[in-house]
Amino acid sequence: MTAGILLDVRGVSKRFGGFEALTRVSLQVREGERFGLIGPNGSGKTTLINCVSGALGSDEGEIRFAGHDITRLPAHQRTRLGIARSFQIPKPFVSMTVLENLCIPAEYAAHARFPGAGADVVAEAMEILRLIGLEAKAHAPAAGLTQIELRKLELARAMAARPRLLISDESMAGLSSAEVDEILAILLALNERGIAIIMIEHIMRAVMRFSQRIVVLDAGARIAEGGPGEILNNPAVEKAYLGE
Amino acid sequence: MRGRALLAVAVALVVLAVALTRLSANQYYYFAAYVIFQYVVLATAWNILGGYTGYVNFGSAGFFALGAYTAAILIKAFPVPFPVLLLAAGTVGGLLGLSLGYLTLRLRGVFFSIATLALAVVLQTLIVNWEYAGGSRGIYTMRPATVLFFDNYVEFLFVVMLILALGALATARWIEHSRLGRGLAAIRDNEEAAECMGVPTLRLKLVAATVSGALMGIAGAPFPYYVTYMEPASTFNLDYAVNSLAMPMIGGATTWVGPLLGAVLLGTAQQIATVTISSALNLLIVGVVLVAFVILAPDGIIGLVRRRRGGRHA
């Protein structure tokens, strides 16, 4: 299957003072693809994602999404175009209920892209909560959720923006094995609906099972790309993780 | 339905206020009520940026005084009708609010608050050094000899301030229940997440800061006529900044009812204390009550009521 390219990152660099966090990184994600982004701690995964989602501006290079040049767009406009993300450390809207958390992106992002879709924001949000398995908590305050519920809320809230590309930033970190499987099943179900997903994860078992294609970053540069099997047998990747 | 009921209450209040002025009671009551209504406007305005959006403004006195001086200077320069004063003070306050909004690009939390305090000091310095505005000597404003329908100018100002207070409350209530209000709440909870969920955070913050600033400016517009003599030290008084922050916090900062409750309770307490004990005691009362609330009821009176109710049902 040769689906079109959805996200096209071309030679993106990002510096923090004298530290070069990303050095001319390029990668492409296709429509509906399950894409893994891995690398040791500090390799620039989250920085790259921040550049893609718009939380950070990039110093060099170009980012295109669905045919638009989004390199200079503010984050909220990228979300409206269809890029949604979850945060590594959950950032819920704590004064709201779980359902109200979802209504924010539904109203501000999905509605902006699909005029008229705002008519039934609540029904749509409930549908997403059902899919994610959070519907029992819909009217609970977001401040009182457990860790796994917070991770689910992150994904549910990102989904409420009706993304074409979902970026899951370490949604499984610190979860138990059973919980990892639960999140993995959710991400697979979301992908079934045609949403491309970038998974950033340290839990190799999950990334390898999930991804169709993987890019490996090390010290801000891309060192490998390929299917899960190729990546596992790549000497450069082994060196990056384990040293020589 | 609730909106209509509240509108009816508002109209009834105005009619009642006008009827009260026919009683020709002691003039002091109109003076005192004016101050309380003025605090309803200031507290409500502060709350749009501070309570809804989470940007704490310590410079309310600057906004208020800027509105008051805009009006005083206009009165001195041209024979302008009263509504023009409100409009001009609102515009100037709104523009200052807009520039404050741009500050939120770089400053958050206490750093933003300190900048707002500095802003008020800068404005005061400008006025002190502006000869036409009276400088540090102050500026006199003559009240018009007659005003349509009312026997006394203070009675007229009393009704005007009541209408302004109701207008401010209606604005706050509308924002709270609108898409704008939900976006502001998202910014208050987590600005980064809000932006990533499609909320145009900068634009919303600019709107909130502008509306808040405009309302504070408008609150100051009738002030020259109210006091007839203004000087910078008392017009830029810290009382205004502290009160317009303390009142929403005591009432409850996440809803439009909070600033109303806080302003009426604290404002009345201050007026009573001024008459019965001493006028210097005002700020002490605010301080003690604020500290007590921060410790015992961080979500204000509204928070206390909600917790009571939630506790019973849960």
Side-chain angles (χ1 to χ4, degrees):
Chain A
M1 194 177 78
T2 52
I5 291 184
L6 185 63
L7 176 73
D8 190 0
V9 176
R10 294 181 195 164
V12 165
S13 297
K14 177 72 193 172
R15 280 176 290 274
F16 297 107
F19 176 68
E20 190 146 358
L22 292 174
T23 315
R24 288 183 295 282
V25 173
S26 298
L27 58 82
Q28 273 117 32
V29 179
R30 298 187 193 100
E31 300 262 13
E33 189 175 26
R34 295 194 303 275
F35 185 92
L37 183 61
I38 64 171
N41 282 322
S43 59
K45 304 181 295 293
T46 297
T47 304
L48 179 61
I49 283 334
N50 282 339
C51 288
V52 170
S53 69
L56 289 175
S58 44
D59 296 322
E60 201 186 333
E62 191 188 9
I63 303 170
R64 299 185 67 82
F65 180 79
H68 303 269
D69 181 359
I70 61 164
T71 320
R72 298 274 162 258
L73 282 188
H76 70 267
Q77 284 181 25
R78 301 188 194 198
T79 309
R80 288 176 182 182
L81 282 174
I83 302 178
R85 68 172 293 183
S86 70
F87 288 95
Q88 194 173 345
I89 298 160
K91 297 180 193 285
F93 301 133
V94 284
S95 73
M96 307 180 196
T97 66
V98 167
L99 187 66
E100 285 164 352
N101 263 267
L102 267 66
C103 289
I104 295 290
E107 230 179 351
Y108 273 96
H111 181 59
R113 206 148 45 93
F114 305 96
D120 218 344
V121 166
V122 172
E124 197 182 311
M126 278 308 285
E127 161 72 25
I128 293 168
L129 287 177
R130 214 166 290 130
L131 187 75
I132 304 267
L134 260 185
E135 77 264 40
K137 293 276 180 177
H139 299 289
L145 296 184
T146 64
Q147 197 49 233
I148 180 153
E149 285 166 349
L150 282 173
R151 303 301 174 89
K152 288 182 178 175
L153 174 57
E154 280 290 319
L155 291 175
R157 195 175 59 177
M159 281 300 297
R162 287 211 212 165
R164 295 170 70 182
L165 172 67
L166 174 67
I167 304 171
S168 154
D169 191 359
E170 298 206 29
S171 298
M172 303 171 186
L175 297 184
S176 74
S177 178
E179 288 167 342
V180 166
D181 288 338
E182 209 178 322
I183 299 283
L184 198 57
I186 290 170
L187 288 174
L188 286 167
L190 298 182
N191 178 250
E192 289 275 297
R193 301 176 132 208
I195 300 165
I197 296 179
I198 299 180
M199 180 194 272
I200 301 171
E201 204 57 64
H202 278 301
I203 301 170
M204 284 305 148
R205 176 174 72 87
V207 187
M208 294 302 161
R209 240 177 79 196
F210 179 80
S211 310
Q212 295 164 317
R213 205 155 55 87
I214 295 173
V215 159
V216 187
L217 288 183
D218 183 34
R222 198 176 104 152
I223 58 165
E225 175 181 347
E230 295 166 70
I231 293 296
L232 280 176
N233 297 318
N234 186 317
V237 175
E238 196 177 323
K239 194 178 136 197
Y241 271 90
L242 300 173
E244 295 204 55
Chain B
M1 273 311 273
R2 276 198 68 201
R4 236 176 249 174
L6 288 169
L7 185 68
V9 170
V11 172
L13 276 175
V14 175
V15 172
L16 187 68
V18 174
L20 273 178
T21 62
R22 301 286 117 179
L23 285 176
S24 69
N26 186 341
Q27 289 292 308
Y28 167 73
Y29 292 115
Y30 303 121
F31 268 101
Y34 174 93
V35 173
I36 294 169
F37 295 154
Q38 175 182 283
Y39 274 129
V40 172
V41 181
L42 283 175
T44 302
W46 180 91
N47 202 40
I48 290 172
L49 189 63
Y52 293 174
T53 324
Y55 279 85
V56 171
N57 180 359
F58 278 132
S60 311
F63 285 87
F64 170 80
L66 196 69
Y69 267 98
T70 304
I73 290 163
L74 272 179
I75 295 164
K76 189 175 172 184
F78 320 101
V80 278
F82 193 83
V84 175
L85 297 179
L86 296 179
L87 198 68
T91 308
V92 173
L95 286 175
L96 185 68
L98 186 67
S99 55
L100 190 69
Y102 276 105
L103 267 185
T104 67
L105 267 178
R106 299 216 163 257
L107 298 173
R108 288 184 193 170
V110 289
F111 302 104
F112 172 80
S113 304
I114 292 167
T116 60
L117 197 56
L119 187 74
V121 174
V122 169
L123 285 173
Q124 184 175 354
T125 311
L126 281 176
I127 295 291
V128 165
N129 290 289
W130 189 7
E131 196 53 39
Y132 189 76
S136 55
R137 275 180 293 107
I139 183 168
Y140 286 92
T141 307
M142 295 293 286
R143 283 179 189 160
T146 54
V147 59
L148 205 72
F149 189 70
F150 292 93
D151 304 334
N152 186 303
Y153 210 77
V154 171
E155 290 169 3
F156 165 70
L157 290 178
F158 156 79
V159 173
V160 165
M161 201 40 100
L162 173 64
I163 292 170
L164 291 181
L166 294 171
L169 288 169
T171 309
R173 184 177 181 273
W174 175 80
I175 289 177
E176 194 179 316
H177 294 289
S178 71
R179 179 168 173 265
L180 171 63
R182 291 187 285 273
L184 294 179
I187 293 173
R188 176 188 63 213
D189 284 355
N190 194 311
E191 192 164 336
E192 191 185 355
E195 175 75 24
C196 281
M197 290 303 130
V199 178
T201 51
L202 177 61
R203 197 192 318 153
L204 261 53
K205 287 188 295 184
L206 291 179
V207 171
T210 306
V211 172
S212 174
L215 287 176
M216 286 182 187
I218 292 174
F223 195 67
Y225 282 143
Y226 175 74
V227 287
T228 65
Y229 166 67
M230 292 198 317
E231 47 86 35
S234 62
T235 316
F236 283 91
N237 201 304
L238 198 62
D239 283 25
Y240 294 113
V242 173
N243 273 323
S244 46
L245 170 155
M247 286 163 174
M249 293 185 79
I250 287 165
T254 51
T255 123
W256 63 273
V257 187
L260 171 64
L261 276 178
V264 169
L265 291 179
L266 213 55
T268 311
Q270 284 178 333
Q271 287 303 320
I272 292 172
T274 305
V275 178
T276 57
I277 310 172
S278 103
S279 60
L281 210 68
N282 284 340
L283 223 49
L284 184 68
I285 294 179
V286 182
V288 171
V289 175
L290 187 60
V291 169
F293 265 88
V294 166
I295 294 170
L296 300 173
D299 296 323
I301 297 170
I302 297 288
L304 269 184
V305 172
R306 279 198 187 141
R307 217 187 305 162
R308 276 281 158 77
R309 274 198 208 150
R312 252 181 243 152
H313 290 298

